[in-house]
Amino acid sequence: MKKIAVVTHDSLNPLVGGGALRTLLVAKELSKRGNEVILFVPSITNSLENMPVVHLPAPRKVRSQVLSAVKFNIRLLFRLLKYAHDVDRFFVHNTIAMPAVLLVAFIRKKKIILDITDIHAEYLRVGNPSIMEKAIRPLLLWLEYFMIRQATKVIVVTESMKQQIVRRKIAEEKIKVIYDGASVERYSPEKEPKAEFNIIHLGTVDKQHGVHYLALAAEKVIKKFPDVCFYIVGDGRELPRVKKIVAEKNLTTNFVFTGYVNHFEVQRYLKKCLIGIIPRPNSLPNNLVITLKLPEYWASGTAVIASRLTGIQEIATDGKNIVFFEPDNPEDLAEKIIYLLENPDFARRLAENGREVVRKFSWPELIKQIAEYFNENR
C-alpha cells in the first residue's frame, strides 16, 4: 500500500472547475485500489469519500491570477511540509499547484504524476492579463513547461496537447493521452417539451470561453425565432460583459442567467435545452482541449454547436455528432443555430449520435486508465 497525496487548486467540495470531478474520481479510484490517499485541496469538509482533506483556500480568479497562485503555493508548501512527510507519490492536477509540490518532491525524492487539462500560462496570450502578467508572461511560459518537464509522468487530454508539450522538449515517452469524459449513467437524454427552442452554454464564463460571441449571435437568431431562450449556466469574470451585450441589444427577456450551479444540479437545465454551445475563440490553449462541456452535452442528449478547434476535432465529426462554426464569428454561429432550430429532427440525430460516441468517454473507464498509468513502474 502506498500513501498518495492528491493535490489540486480546484475546489472538490463543492466541485468547482473543469478538472475537479476528474481529480476526485482519480482519488477515489486510487483509494479503492488499496492506497492511502490524502487530499490537499480546497474543500469545505475535513474528509471526502472517507479520504482525509488538508484544506486550502482556492486561488481567487480576480485581479492578478499570478499573485493568487503564488499565495496558494505558499499555503500549500507549509501544509505539505507538515502533513506529507511520509507520502510515497504525488498526483497533481494542473501546474498551478506544482511549484510547492515540486520543491517537496525534490527534497524527499518522490515521484510526481501530473494530470494536465489546461496549460494555464498560454491563456495569458488571450485572456485579460494585468500589466505585470504581460511583462512576466515569457517567464511564466518557461516556468510552466519546466515544471511539466520535471514530472515523472504526464497525462494530457488531447493529442494536440501532447504534441504541444513535446515541441517544448518534454519526453514523448512519458506522456499519455487520456481524454476528459462524463458520468454517462448520471445523465438522461430525455428533454422537456419545447426544448428544441432552448439553447445552453454550460460552465465558466471567462474570456477564453467566448460566451460573448453567443450573446452577439443571439440578436440574429431571435429575429427569426422570437421565442427562443438562451440559458447561460455558470459564472465568471466575463459574465458582466455578456449581460451588458444582452441588455444593450434589448434581448434580456430571451436570456436566463443562473449564476453558479452545482455540478450535480446542471442536469435540470440540460433537460430544458436541445442545443448546447461551445463558442471558444481560436487560440493556442483552446485548440489543445476538448472541454468538459462536450462529453456532458453528448451524455445529456444535447446537440452540440462548437468552434472548429483542433482538440475537439480529434473526437467529434462535423455533421454527424457536432456542427462546427468558424471561431470568433458570431454571424456564422447564428446561422448554425438557426439551421438547427429550423431542423429539429437533424438536431435530435446529432444528439443521438453524440450519446453513442460519449460511451467511449465514460468516466469509470477513463479513470481506470489514469490509475493504471499512475501505478506503472517507470
Side-chain angles (χ1 to χ4, degrees):
M1 181 179 74
K2 292 184 175 67
K3 186 169 184 178
I4 299 167
V6 173
V7 187
T8 180
H9 67 285
D10 283 335
S11 171
L12 298 196
N13 187 16
L15 284 169
V16 179
L21 179 60
R22 179 181 174 110
T23 306
L24 179 59
L25 292 174
V26 170
K28 288 171 62 178
E29 181 66 21
L30 293 173
S31 177
K32 189 172 76 173
R33 292 178 179 227
N35 298 292
E36 182 184 352
V37 176
I38 181 169
L39 303 172
F40 291 82
V41 302
S43 171
I44 60 173
T45 57
N46 293 323
S47 68
L48 275 172
E49 306 286 345
N50 297 316
M51 295 175 287
V53 172
V54 177
H55 171 70
L56 291 155
R60 298 177 64 198
K61 292 188 176 182
V62 295
R63 297 184 182 177
S64 172
Q65 295 180 73
V66 175
L67 288 177
S68 180
V70 169
K71 291 177 183 177
F72 175 82
N73 273 276
I74 291 171
R75 295 183 179 111
L76 174 59
L77 178 60
F78 282 108
R79 285 163 174 78
L80 289 173
L81 290 171
K82 184 175 182 179
Y83 297 107
H85 54 87
D86 56 348
V87 161
D88 297 300
R89 285 188 181 184
F90 292 91
F91 179 89
V92 183
H93 168 67
N94 279 343
T95 55
I96 287 179
M98 271 292 279
V101 173
L102 194 58
L103 180 58
V104 173
F106 175 77
I107 293 170
R108 294 176 177 159
K109 296 180 172 55
K110 302 299 181 182
K111 293 181 178 180
I112 301 172
I113 289 75
L114 176 60
D115 183 43
I116 307 174
T117 56
D118 279 302
I119 300 178
H120 287 276
E122 294 288 2
Y123 284 109
L124 292 176
R125 301 177 190 269
V126 294
N128 190 25
S130 66
I131 294 173
M132 181 193 74
E133 288 168 341
K134 288 179 182 178
I136 65 173
R137 182 170 61 195
L139 174 62
L140 294 175
L141 283 166
W142 175 87
L143 178 61
E144 183 152 24
Y145 287 107
F146 170 80
M147 291 188 295
I148 295 171
R149 200 172 295 118
Q150 306 314 305
T152 312
K153 300 177 186 177
V154 179
I155 302 167
V156 296
V157 290
T158 63
E159 287 289 343
S160 303
M161 185 178 287
K162 177 180 178 178
Q163 294 309 313
Q164 170 64 18
I165 65 175
V166 167
R167 285 191 288 270
R168 289 288 188 145
K169 311 299 183 187
I170 294 161
E172 185 172 3
E173 59 269 18
K174 74 175 184 180
I175 307 168
K176 187 173 182 65
V177 177
I178 302 177
Y179 290 97
D180 265 332
S183 300
V184 179
E185 70 285 350
R186 279 191 52 246
Y187 291 88
S188 167
E190 295 180 6
K191 299 294 183 181
E192 294 181 4
K194 297 186 178 180
E196 64 268 25
F197 295 107
N198 295 335
I199 297 155
I200 189 169
H201 178 274
L202 176 64
T204 307
V205 186
D206 283 343
K207 191 166 186 179
Q208 68 264 28
H209 300 107
V211 185
H212 63 286
Y213 289 124
L214 180 57
L216 292 169
E219 185 174 26
K220 183 175 181 179
V221 176
I222 292 167
K223 282 181 181 177
K224 191 149 191 178
F225 292 90
D227 295 328
V228 73
C229 186
F230 294 84
Y231 285 82
I232 309 299
V233 181
D235 201 354
R237 288 165 293 182
E238 283 289 294
L239 190 59
R241 179 188 180 191
V242 175
K243 288 183 174 181
K244 183 179 179 182
I245 293 171
V246 170
E248 288 175 346
K249 293 181 177 293
N250 296 315
L251 307 177
T252 306
T253 56
N254 294 89
F255 273 78
V256 174
F257 294 96
T258 68
Y260 169 76
V261 173
N262 185 287
H263 177 82
F264 298 103
E265 297 176 2
V266 299
Q267 188 170 172
R268 69 189 183 97
Y269 291 102
L270 288 166
K271 282 179 175 289
K272 296 177 182 291
C273 304
L274 182 59
I275 301 171
I277 310 295
I278 303 174
R280 288 195 170 211
N282 184 18
S283 64
L284 174 60
N286 280 341
N287 276 286
L288 303 181
V289 300
I290 64 167
T291 87
L292 201 58
K293 280 189 281 293
L294 179 56
E296 289 182 340
Y297 285 158
W298 277 344
S300 64
T302 304
V304 182
I305 300 174
S307 303
R308 190 183 298 276
L309 299 171
T310 308
I312 295 176
Q313 290 181 91
E314 290 182 19
I315 66 170
T317 304
D318 195 14
K320 184 175 181 181
N321 47 48
I322 200 167
V323 169
F324 285 119
F325 75 96
E326 293 309 310
D328 310 289
N329 188 335
E331 184 76 15
D332 191 39
L333 173 56
E335 290 176 4
K336 296 302 193 299
I337 293 172
I338 289 169
Y339 183 79
L340 290 196
L341 291 171
E342 290 176 334
N343 297 275
D345 289 341
F346 175 64
R348 292 189 186 94
R349 283 199 303 275
L350 283 177
E352 289 168 6
N353 292 339
R355 178 84 175 169
E356 287 300 313
V357 172
V358 80
R359 297 185 192 283
K360 296 188 291 186
F361 302 98
S362 177
W363 273 133
E365 179 56 35
L366 296 172
I367 296 305
K368 285 179 184 176
Q369 292 178 34
I370 294 174
E372 286 165 6
Y373 187 58
F374 181 94
N375 287 325
E376 284 181 10
N377 290 320
R378 62 183 175 112

